[in-house]
Amino acid sequence: MAEKLRICIVGSGNWGSTIAKIIGINAANFSNFEDRVTMYVYEEIINGKKLTEIINETHENVKYLPGHKLPPNIIAIPDVVEAAKDADILTFVVPHQFIKRICSALFGKIKPTAIGLSLIKGFDKKQGGGIELISHIISKQLHIPVSVLMGANLASEVANEMFCETTIGCKDKNMAPILKDLMETSYFKVVVVEDVDSVECCGALKNIVACGAGFIDGLGLGDNTKAAVMRLGLMEIIKFVNIFFPGGKKTTFFESCGVADLIATCYGGRNRKICEAFVKTGKKISELEKEMLNGQKLQGPFTAEEVNYMLKAKNMENRFPLFTTVHRICIGETMPMELIENLRNHPEYIDETRNYQECKCSI
């Protein structure tokens, strides 16, 4: 009989705790997984008591997912090495700016046969004006293969078990069904594709577009304008992936990780919400993050900065006016209304014709 797979969840914020609900139940129900699931929790003191103790005693993350019970087989551990040392599948759900530090702590202290699954949406800067995917960082630092999960998955709705889809990017055909078993439920449907880099890029870049949508909401410019920003944002996402991470499939952009995640995040989610408040209040984004997110981190402005770092180094800012303008607004270099002015002459409008040769549909 094959040895059961042990699971560790690296991260315990709003999304990490939501995923813990799913993984905990599936680990208990599928015979190929070990029942006990460890979850790395950054230790905090809540009302005089350690957060890990609260989670293990009450089976609730009272800070990041209050009102939702975690399965009793989820064990909160404050030491990431202790949590991960015996795991066969490491599920990473932390803000992307912390991943290098976590991987550094884990290097040489995990199973050499372990695999990773990243739910982290963002990039990291590389020297010389480039950026790197988070899954690539994890893979390089820990010497393990890494798949990704991205989709239209607002954590509050998933936690409330509202039906949605998600996309797993996995190149290993043997591992794909295992990851599907680990993550899928009756309300959280999983589609697995091989196009890992495109899936991950969609998950990161849509947060920049969501910031733009938030600026539009703050300016009160209406749904027509927001729809235009979303469409132009999708075109910049596709162009970005084609230029910097080529080899993907166009169909990936029509999975949950692509257009669905873009729509969901531009109408809900923290990036849209904070950027709307940024316009209406005049406060800095960093102030609003502290006031409105209960310790969670905003990914859109970070990602916009990282993308702009590469676009500027490659003299390509003018080819991505939405990404570029969102970054400049976030850092206070220009006003939110400038977003519309810069989109009026978007490269998408220069070619007045469209090539529909690839469309095989009949009307």
Side-chain angles (χ1 to χ4, degrees):
M1 183 176 178
E3 188 175 341
K4 292 186 176 184
L5 299 172
R6 297 178 180 179
I7 315 300
C8 172
I9 303 165
V10 182
S12 59
N14 184 230
W15 187 216
S17 296
T18 297
I19 286 299
K21 282 187 63 180
I22 291 173
I23 289 178
I25 291 171
N26 285 345
N29 289 341
F30 282 88
S31 60
N32 52 332
F33 300 121
E34 185 72 39
D35 182 78
R36 181 179 185 268
V37 175
T38 57
M39 180 170 71
Y40 164 61
V41 176
Y42 178 77
E43 193 70 279
E44 300 178 65
I45 303 300
I46 309 294
N47 296 326
K49 195 166 185 177
K50 292 179 180 179
L51 181 57
T52 52
E53 292 179 358
I54 295 172
I55 292 172
N56 289 333
E57 291 172 10
T58 68
H59 308 297
E60 181 181 352
N61 188 333
V62 294
K63 179 168 185 180
Y64 296 112
L65 198 65
H68 292 273
K69 287 294 183 181
L70 299 178
N73 59 331
I74 298 292
I75 309 301
I77 298 175
D79 184 325
V80 68
V81 174
E82 180 64 26
K85 66 180 183 180
D86 296 322
D88 298 291
I89 301 176
L90 295 161
T91 305
F92 293 90
V93 205
V94 293
H96 76 275
Q97 52 266 42
F98 300 141
I99 194 62
K100 283 186 175 179
R101 187 175 70 196
I102 286 174
C103 287
S104 178
L106 291 176
F107 177 68
K109 298 172 183 174
I110 61 171
K111 282 185 174 182
T113 55
I115 68 160
L117 178 65
S118 173
L119 282 67
I120 302 171
K121 298 180 177 180
F123 299 107
D124 196 70
K125 293 180 183 177
K126 290 197 300 187
Q127 288 187 343
I131 59 175
E132 192 165 19
L133 297 178
I134 301 301
S135 66
H136 292 191
I137 293 172
I138 297 170
S139 184
K140 286 179 181 178
Q141 288 199 223
L142 297 181
H143 306 302
I144 61 173
V146 180
S147 299
V148 300
L149 181 150
M150 308 281 159
N153 308 141
L154 299 178
S156 60
E157 295 182 13
V158 178
N160 285 321
E161 301 185 9
M162 298 179 182
F163 179 83
C164 67
E165 311 169 300
T166 199
T167 310
I168 290 179
C170 178
K171 294 178 181 177
D172 186 341
K173 292 183 179 180
N174 294 320
M175 187 53 61
I178 294 173
L179 294 178
K180 186 179 174 77
D181 284 347
L182 182 65
M183 303 306 304
E184 187 167 69
T185 71
S186 61
Y187 62 88
F188 193 68
K189 303 304 289 185
V190 173
V191 173
V192 183
V193 300
E194 294 183 14
D195 192 3
V196 180
D197 287 356
S198 296
V199 171
E200 185 168 4
C201 284
C202 286
L205 294 170
K206 58 91 183 183
N207 283 329
I208 305 177
V209 185
C211 288
F215 297 144
I216 297 304
D217 287 342
L219 292 166
L221 293 178
D223 285 341
N224 289 344
T225 306
K226 186 154 80 167
V229 167
M230 291 166 63
R231 189 188 76 83
L232 292 170
L234 178 60
M235 299 310 293
E236 290 197 12
I237 290 171
I238 293 171
K239 183 192 297 183
F240 185 93
V241 175
N242 286 341
I243 292 172
F244 299 112
F245 298 93
K249 297 179 180 178
K250 288 186 179 179
T251 53
T252 302
F253 300 104
F254 296 95
E255 297 291 351
S256 182
C257 62
V259 65
D261 196 7
L262 180 67
I263 293 168
T265 311
C266 287
Y267 277 93
R270 66 187 71 155
N271 291 284
R272 188 217 62 80
K273 180 179 179 182
I274 294 291
C275 288
E276 179 183 16
F278 170 79
V279 177
K280 289 182 174 180
T281 66
K283 294 181 179 180
K284 292 181 179 180
I285 286 177
S286 56
E287 290 181 65
L288 294 166
E289 184 182 58
K290 291 177 183 177
E291 290 177 11
M292 300 171 65
L293 295 186
N294 189 34
Q296 296 288 293
K297 294 294 181 182
L298 200 65
Q299 298 302 312
F302 273 111
T303 305
E305 179 185 357
E306 290 155 351
V307 167
N308 187 257
Y309 170 75
M310 184 163 73
L311 295 179
K312 190 170 185 177
K314 297 184 181 298
N315 196 29
M316 296 179 69
E317 288 176 293
N318 63 329
R319 295 186 63 181
F320 296 86
L322 191 151
F323 290 172
T324 299
T325 307
V326 165
H327 168 64
R328 290 175 178 169
I329 295 169
C330 287
I331 63 174
E333 199 172 278
T334 192
M335 300 299 290
M337 195 62 198
E338 192 69 21
L339 179 63
I340 301 302
E341 296 305 314
N342 287 347
L343 292 182
R344 291 187 197 279
N345 297 312
H346 196 282
E348 260 291 289
Y349 300 134
I350 294 174
D351 183 0
E352 296 180 357
T353 63
R354 290 284 192 269
N355 180 2
Y356 293 108
Q357 294 302 312
E358 291 186 5
C359 182
K360 305 280 195 258
C361 316
S362 59
I363 298 175

